[in-house]
């Protein structure tokens, strides 16, 4: 195989024109493919269309519209949400949001068109009885009361209404809430135009039990941003801002912070790019080394994104991680090649011979590391989370293109502009200021490694084995816990807003139970509503730490029944007979039809229970959701005889996020295991010996397990970002190991002397191991300065694993080879 790679430079030189034409055509195709890229930042995009969780999510949206709204907590500067000043400002904000079209010029549009409904303390619905007629009125209305008596009356009514506290005002009356309902996530794919009636039109969609749910358009991040900008303009009006401070939560509010995080990652990438360029210059003192390495990275990125576009894959927030991986792997491949070429040239070998020998020695190792790297990233593909699957595919493509460009483009680039002039042989002198002022010092240091290890190889093996044992223990203590706020800085306004919602109001997140009893008018059966009532009460008491409030048709029925019976407390219950319940619900529908439509469909077959939640991570909620599921099943046992086909689904944006985390939890160990087994098999096949394969595997097992071990010991949870480290680190760290082992295999064939072969291997491959570890470690390490905890942890632990991997290759690997002296299959040596 090495003879094949040795002939590559000459073959390319002979067909330079043909290769150039084909290459330019491929670049043009990749650029066209980039124009087909689709971005999807929504949580819905994390699931396949057939996923039961997403199907339930769409069915809920199809029937009841979107729950992807904005919740704005406001804090009056006078400390009282019921004061005249606070209510006047609130009514102004409310009216500006609802009546925005009045201020638009003819033909002008506004992002506020996505608002479907606005609910505040001022227009909160309160049921009243006039004779035998049930009616709904606004708590405050269009005018704020000015007398203390009127304010006291409104406060008393609000306190008595069980659904208003925490939703519209805090217990101490210092905070209030504005609910802005939107059509985000509930716009049908075939909708020609988004209007204020879009969500209401969903009620008209005729479906049958076997119909597939309507597909909805994913919400573009730009739509979130535009809407929030318009909302902020209203909130920032002097007449409101001087009285109220604001804290906004929800996807719309988070969008601007998501953009900031993306911009930060972009800046970190540029910083990594610049620092790596400086490091390449420092190592090689050659402009061509810098230019060609960076060109390989840029072209690899172009080809990866182009093919991604042609494949129709959706690009998500994980794109920046793929680009980081391309940067590190692409530069690493180039550095191994350029290091070998420059070393040979400075040893007195002419340009053509040096180029051929470079690919003879490094070609096999590059191929093997490419295969193992791709195996490590593709192992992530078993997770049924679409962005991670796409990340796995894109990263594998990136590694493949970096490998192909290193094989078939870099030789031509070196031939055009080498790191050392073709016309002269550089002699090592103290005056030389190019690559040689770094390489001799490094080679001198590396020459001392093998003699040091030769004296007591076991003394070097024992510390690494102990480190492995500690890492295994730490890995067993790891908790998988994806916290939504980990992707934002602790001091960000969004994080602060979520904390305010948790501490003072109904929480920042909502879960939905979507119930379909498969039988018309089932929800007019007292037994059904009483079962739902029991479930809601169980959720509020059993999961008091997590559940803030619940709301469903049950609460409306109880409230209406009490109001219709003289407001007597003992009638705060579900009517006992179907006739009484049907009459009560009928009267409520007449009083407030829009609210009824949000809670139950026209046929009283489908309903929803909204559950407001505090912010906790997926580790806790995964167990909570399991117990809730059991409680739901227990409720259904009571109704099974009468309604055997009933389906109850846990859904909503928050539930989708937790389900994605659960998928990752279930597949994380499998992902790591597949990557480990695949890499082990590859090493076994490559080196033709179980002993050699195990020796090559151990130095790469330690860095991956060390990452998990440190996470477990320090109590840092494994989240969406850090869970991807293990298989990636296995793939990346094995790069240096395979280069080292391949070189050692060839050196050992010369005279069979293990010690001499190790010394030559350290001189040949050692500099490349050090250089690439610096590049790779820096590529990941730059993310450690990210303000978001998840990204920062990936940078810190990724860099740690790579540098520990370098120590494994420089000290543990020679110690293992000296101690066990494995024999290679000669057929594998070429």
């Amino acid at each position: 195989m090495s003879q094949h790679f040795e002939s590559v430079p000459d073959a390319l030189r002979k067909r330079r024109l043909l290769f150039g034409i084909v290459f330019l055509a491929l670049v043009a195709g990749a650029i066209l493919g980039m124009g087909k890229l689709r971005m999807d930042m929504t949580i819905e995009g994390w699931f396949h269309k057939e996923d039961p969780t997403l199907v339930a999510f769409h069915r809920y949206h199809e029937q009841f519209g979107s729950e992807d709204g904005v919740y704005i907590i406001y804090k009056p500067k006078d400390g009282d949400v019921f004061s005249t000043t606070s209510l006047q400002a609130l009514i102004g904000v409310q009216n500006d949001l609802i009546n925005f079209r009045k201020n638009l010029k003819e033909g002008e549009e506004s992002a506020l068109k996505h608002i479907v409904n606005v609910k505040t303390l001022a227009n909160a619905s309160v049921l009243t009885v006039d004779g035998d007629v049930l009616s709904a009125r606004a708590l405050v209305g269009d005018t704020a009361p000015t007398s203390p008596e009127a304010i006291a009356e409104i406060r008393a009514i609000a306190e008595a209404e069980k659904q208003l506290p925490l939703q519209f005002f805090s217990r101490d009356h210092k905070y209030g809430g504005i609910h802005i309902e939107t059509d985000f996530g509930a716009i049908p794919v075939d909708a020609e135009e988004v209007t204020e009636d879009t969500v209401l039109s969903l009620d008209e969609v005729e479906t049958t039990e076997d119909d597939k749910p309507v597909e909805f358009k994913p919400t573009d991040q730009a739509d979130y941003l535009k809407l929030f900008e318009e909302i902020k303009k209203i909130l920032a009006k002097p007449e409101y801002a001087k009285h109220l401070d604001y804290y906004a939560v929800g996807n719309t509010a988070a969008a601007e912070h998501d953009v900031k995080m993306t911009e930060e990652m972009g800046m970190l990438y540029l910083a990594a790019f610049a620092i790596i360029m400086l490091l390449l210059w420092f190592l090689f003192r050659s402009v061509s080394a810098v230019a060609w390495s960076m060109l390989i990275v840029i072209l690899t990125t172009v080809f990866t994104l182009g093919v991604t576009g042609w494949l129709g894959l959706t690009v998500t927030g994980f794109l920046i991680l793929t680009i980081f991986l391309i940067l590190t792997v692409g530069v690493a491949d180039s550095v191994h090649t350029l290091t070998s070429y420059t070393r040979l040239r400075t040893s007195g070998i002419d340009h053509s011979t040096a180029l051929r020998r470079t690919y003879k020695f490094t070609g096999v190792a590059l191929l093997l590391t490419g295969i193992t790297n791709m195996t490590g990233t593709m192992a992530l593909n078993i997770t049924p989370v679409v962005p991670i699957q796409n990340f796995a595919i894109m990263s594998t493509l990136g590694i493949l293109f970096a490998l192909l460009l290193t094989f078939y483009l870099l030789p031509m680039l070196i031939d055009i502009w080498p790191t050392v002039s073709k016309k002269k042989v550089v002699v090592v002198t103290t005056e030389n200021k190019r690559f040689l002022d770094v390489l001799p010092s490094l080679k001198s240091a590396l020459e001392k490694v093998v003699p040091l290890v030769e004296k007591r190889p076991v003394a070097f093996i024992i510390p690494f084995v102990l480190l492995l044992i500690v890492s295994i223990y730490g890995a067993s203590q790891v908790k998988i816990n994806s916290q939504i706020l980990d992707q934002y800085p602790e001091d960000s306004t969004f994080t602060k807003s979520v904390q305010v919602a948790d501490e003072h109001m109904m929480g920042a997140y909502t879960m939905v139970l979507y119930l379909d009893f498969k039988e018309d008018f089932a929800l007019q059966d007292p037994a059904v509503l009483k079962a739902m009532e029991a479930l809601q009460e169980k959720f509020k008491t059993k999961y008091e730490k997590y559940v803030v409030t619940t709301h469903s048709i049950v609460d409306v029925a109880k409230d209406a029944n009490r109001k219709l019976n003289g407001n007597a407390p003992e009638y705060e219950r579900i009517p006992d007979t179907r006739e009484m319940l049907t009459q009560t619900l009928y009267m409520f529908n007449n009083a407030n039809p829009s609210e009824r439509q949000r809670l139950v469909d026209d046929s009283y077959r489908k309903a929803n229970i909204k559950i407001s939640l505090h912010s906790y991570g997926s580790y806790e909620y995964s167990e909570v959701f399991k117990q809730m599921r059991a409680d739901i099943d227990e409720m259904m046992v009571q109704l099974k005889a009468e309604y055997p086909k009933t389906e109850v689904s846990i859904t909503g944006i928050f539930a989708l996020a937790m389900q994605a985390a659960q998928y990752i939890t279930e597949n994380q160990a499998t992902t790591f295991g597949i990557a480990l087994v695949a890499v082990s098999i590859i090493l076994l096949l490559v080196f033709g010996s179980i002993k050699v394969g195990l020796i090559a595997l151990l130095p790469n097992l330690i860095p991956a397990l060390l990452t998990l071990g440190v996470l477990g010991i320090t109590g840092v949870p494994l989240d969406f970002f850090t869970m991807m480290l293990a298989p990636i680190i296995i793939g990346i760290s094995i790069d240096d190991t395979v280069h080292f082992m391949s070189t050692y295999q060839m050196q050992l064939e010369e005279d069979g002397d293990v010690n001499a072969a190790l010394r030559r291997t350290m001189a040949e491959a050692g500099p490349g191991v050090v250089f690439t570890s610096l590049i790779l470690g820096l590529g990941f390490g730059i993310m450690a300065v990210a303000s978001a905890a998840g990204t920062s942890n990936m940078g810190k632990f990724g860099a740690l694993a790579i540098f520990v991997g370098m120590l494994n290759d420089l000290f543990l690997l020679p110690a293992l080879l000296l101690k066990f002296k494995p024999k290679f299959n000669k057929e594998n040596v070429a």
Side-chain angles (χ1 to χ4, degrees), residues 224-236:
Y224 284 134
L225 290 170
K226 290 175 183 177
L227 175 58
F228 198 51
E229 283 301 314
E230 293 298 321
I231 292 174
K232 287 196 298 181
K233 286 179 183 178
I234 293 175
L235 299 179

Side-chain angles (χ1 to χ4, degrees), residues 178 188 371 565 611 793:
I178 303 173
I371 293 172
N565 287 277
I611 304 169
N793 286 336

Side-chain angles (χ1 to χ4, degrees), residues 212-247:
K212 291 183 178 180
V214 174
E215 287 190 30
F216 299 100
K217 294 178 181 178
T219 305
D220 193 290
Q221 193 174 51
D223 291 332
Y224 284 134
L225 290 170
K226 290 175 183 177
L227 175 58
F228 198 51
E229 283 301 314
E230 293 298 321
I231 292 174
K232 287 196 298 181
K233 286 179 183 178
I234 293 175
L235 299 179
K237 287 184 177 182
E239 60 266 37
Y240 310 142
K242 68 181 180 180
H243 298 300
L244 308 174
D245 292 323
Y246 306 99
Y247 308 90

